[in-house]
Amino acid sequence: MPAKPMNDDPEGSAPSADENGAPVKAGGTPAGEATAEAGGTATPARGATAPARGATTPDEAVTPLIRGITVLRELTEADGTLSLSGLERATRLARSTVDRITATLARMGYVRVDGRDVRLSPRLMELGNAYLAALRLPALLASRADALADELDESVSLAVADRDGIRFIHQATRRRAMSLSFRIGDLLPAERTAPGPLFATEWTATDWQRWRERRASDPRDLSFTAVPPRKYGADARDDEMFVSRTREAAANGWAVDDQLIEPGLVAVSVPVRSPHTAGDHRPPACVASVVSHTSRHTAHSLRTTLLPRLRAAVTQMEQELDRTPPPPPGTPPSNLALWTGASKQRLGRDFIESLARGLTVLTAFGEDRPELTLTEVAQATGLARATARRALITYEHLDLVTPTGDRTFALTPRVLSLGFPPLSRTTLPDIAHPHLSDLTSRIHESTSLAVLSDSGEEIQYTARVATGRVLSVNITLGTRLPAYATALGRVLLSDRAVGRAAHTLTSVRSQGYALVDEELEEGLRSIAVPIRDRSGRVVAALNTAMHASRHSLRECVTDLLPELTTTATRIESDLHTAARFTHVPLT
């Protein structure tokens, strides 16, 4: 049977207000129509992680891909970890199906299976990274949001519209005992936020109707796991308040959240208008917000004290967008999905090739290829046009992809629902630990990760996996040792290669490892390699340490060093993926 058409639905004219008094945008376009700059379309929260209400699954949709997306979303809602039996219950899939899906996702590096538990892995963030890179807003505006947070000493966020919700694309938070817990990719109901009324000024009558249907089906916001549920269900007064706030936002050009999410939390928001739009109307590309709590600011003081500075920062953001031209079309990658055939041959029926191929389609998008045609998707992935077409049909059904123009498609903010929120708060020790476990099991020696102290005089152990030997190195997390006396420290210091023993450190840097023989303690031998960030700077070091009788100096280099280097490369790969649009703490 023919596939579901993948064409834009034409918008008709709209009145200035709907029958319930909801405001609509002047000029015939109702308030809140999602635009490519505002992040596209996607339905909100868990109640809408499935397709839009009433939608039927297209005949040509890829069922294994739909099931795989369901598993990833359930893991996301569970903060990144679920047991296999828990996944079976949450997804209502057969256990054999869950096992095959998780085996496929593990082969892709998107999850890891620890005994009976399934955990999201940092590599999964490449899907959200594809959306954020194509959106370009974090790359262009994040530094200005960070600077504003430093200036105000308050948290600053950037959010895009996600149908009748808002989704965060950048967070600059303050480190305080009372701090915000929102994460990049978190979805919030529009009516309980400051950005929501600003996006709602662009909603169509259809958008308002969809919002009311969602409110009626989920009056306590139980489907929005990033916010506390309402104690009592929303009523008509709450609905009218949001309509009124939207009118005020349209008139004022800013909006306030006065403890709507939870008591004590206040925020003020200003839209960052889209560049390069035809006509005088410039819809929000995103919304910038300053967020605080009532012990520091009231909603009134946010308006009077911080709003002018937020507006000034937003003006700079808009100028940045205006002077930055759209990227020239880049050359898409090729044969991204070619590896799936070999994996299918090796893993047999436990590897679901259609799932792996479908997920690879999302990675074809990027900064210089925010919109792709079917032909370009097929060329980038190496898939047949028919296979790529079925994947796009499936993603449009799931609101992960939207048509954007003449036979082109773009990712939507909903791609961030695939694991990004829990993974956006990962740390380097979190990233390194499973790799240390694998390394320890291969070499049968204890392994550790360490960073340099602020003074540069000591190292601090941040991750460690001990071997089960009777005689082993006894180091606990948090232990500090003199940097120069350890292989870990010399690797970390070699990136500086100045001051004391600069010649030795230069040698360590050139050879790519440090080997220390019984200098810290008699009988203790250690070899370490660097861990580099996306810029190439050494930010941590990985080592193994053992009694000198177990490995000669030559064996340390010939046998252990290749294993350490391989593990370091794997840690760096995950670190670079995780740190592309998020801050990854080293400890």
Side-chain angles (χ1 to χ4, degrees), residues 430-503:
D430 293 333
I431 291 172
H433 192 271
H435 297 291
L436 296 186
S437 296
D438 291 343
L439 176 60
T440 295
S441 67
R442 294 197 306 271
I443 66 175
H444 308 291
E445 299 289 355
S446 299
T447 58
S448 302
L449 189 82
V451 298
L452 205 59
S453 67
D454 293 338
S455 68
E457 297 293 325
E458 296 176 312
I459 62 165
Q460 179 180 354
Y461 286 83
T462 58
R464 179 169 171 78
V465 175
T467 186
R469 293 181 178 273
V470 174
L471 179 61
S472 62
V473 179
N474 184 21
I475 300 274
T476 58
L477 292 184
T479 296
R480 294 191 175 213
L481 295 174
Y484 189 76
T486 65
L488 289 163
R490 290 184 187 179
V491 164
L492 291 163
L493 292 171
S494 69
D495 204 41
R496 306 178 181 186
V498 295
R500 183 178 59 185
H503 174 73

Side-chain angles (χ1 to χ4, degrees), residues 104-146:
T104 302
L105 295 174
R107 171 63 179 152
M108 299 185 74
Y110 288 171
V111 305
R112 66 179 189 273
V113 181
D114 295 335
R116 297 180 179 178
D117 290 333
V118 182
R119 305 179 190 276
L120 297 178
S121 295
R123 186 174 176 182
L124 179 62
M125 295 177 75
E126 70 180 10
L127 304 183
N129 286 346
Y131 164 72
L132 294 173
L135 185 67
R136 299 184 73 208
L137 295 178
L140 294 175
L141 305 182
S143 61
R144 296 193 179 276
D146 294 344

Side-chain angles (χ1 to χ4, degrees), residues 483-492 508 514-516 526-529 541 543:
Y484 189 76
T486 65
L488 289 163
R490 290 184 187 179
V491 164
L492 291 163
V508 169
L515 178 57
V516 171
S526 175
I527 184 170
V529 296
N543 90 323

Side-chain angles (χ1 to χ4, degrees), residues 6 78 95 97 127 159 173 178 313 329 354 392 404 498:
M6 295 188 292
R95 177 58 179 268
T97 301
L127 304 183
T173 57
M178 179 85 61
S354 58
L392 289 172
T404 54
V498 295

Side-chain angles (χ1 to χ4, degrees), residues 14-26 30-31 204-205 208 212 243 247:
S16 59
D18 68 12
E19 64 273 17
N20 294 305
V24 294
K25 190 173 68 176
T204 67
W208 282 102
R212 289 191 176 88
V243 171
R247 290 199 185 100

Side-chain angles (χ1 to χ4, degrees), residues 395-582:
Y395 284 139
E396 187 183 353
H397 172 64
L398 297 174
D399 282 328
L400 292 165
V401 161
T402 185
T404 54
D406 184 16
R407 300 181 180 181
T408 58
F409 302 88
L411 302 179
T412 72
R414 181 176 287 198
V415 174
L416 294 174
S417 70
L418 305 180
F420 213 90
L423 291 172
S424 68
R425 291 289 176 89
T426 194
T427 67
L428 182 55
D430 293 333
I431 291 172
H433 192 271
H435 297 291
L436 296 186
S437 296
D438 291 343
L439 176 60
T440 295
S441 67
R442 294 197 306 271
I443 66 175
H444 308 291
E445 299 289 355
S446 299
T447 58
S448 302
L449 189 82
V451 298
L452 205 59
S453 67
D454 293 338
S455 68
E457 297 293 325
E458 296 176 312
I459 62 165
Q460 179 180 354
Y461 286 83
T462 58
R464 179 169 171 78
V465 175
T467 186
R469 293 181 178 273
V470 174
L471 179 61
S472 62
V473 179
N474 184 21
I475 300 274
T476 58
L477 292 184
T479 296
R480 294 191 175 213
L481 295 174
Y484 189 76
T486 65
L488 289 163
R490 290 184 187 179
V491 164
L492 291 163
L493 292 171
S494 69
D495 204 41
R496 306 178 181 186
V498 295
R500 183 178 59 185
H503 174 73
T504 300
L505 298 179
T506 300
S507 176
V508 169
R509 182 171 58 185
S510 64
Q511 67 188 14
Y513 69 91
L515 178 57
V516 171
D517 184 28
E518 302 188 77
E519 294 185 34
L520 181 67
E521 183 177 323
E522 290 184 6
L524 181 63
R525 186 168 289 162
S526 175
I527 184 170
V529 296
I531 303 293
R532 299 180 183 274
D533 65 11
R534 290 178 60 86
S535 68
R537 182 172 62 97
V538 176
V539 294
L542 164 70
N543 90 323
T544 183
M546 78 295 296
H547 191 272
S549 64
R550 289 211 290 268
H551 294 279
S552 68
L553 292 175
R554 178 180 179 83
E555 289 170 341
C556 286
V557 175
T558 59
D559 298 344
L560 299 180
L561 179 59
E563 295 284 359
L564 286 168
T565 302
T566 297
T567 300
T569 299
R570 292 171 179 169
I571 294 173
E572 287 176 346
S573 177
D574 282 353
L575 173 61
H576 297 173
T577 299
R580 186 173 181 186
F581 293 105
T582 67

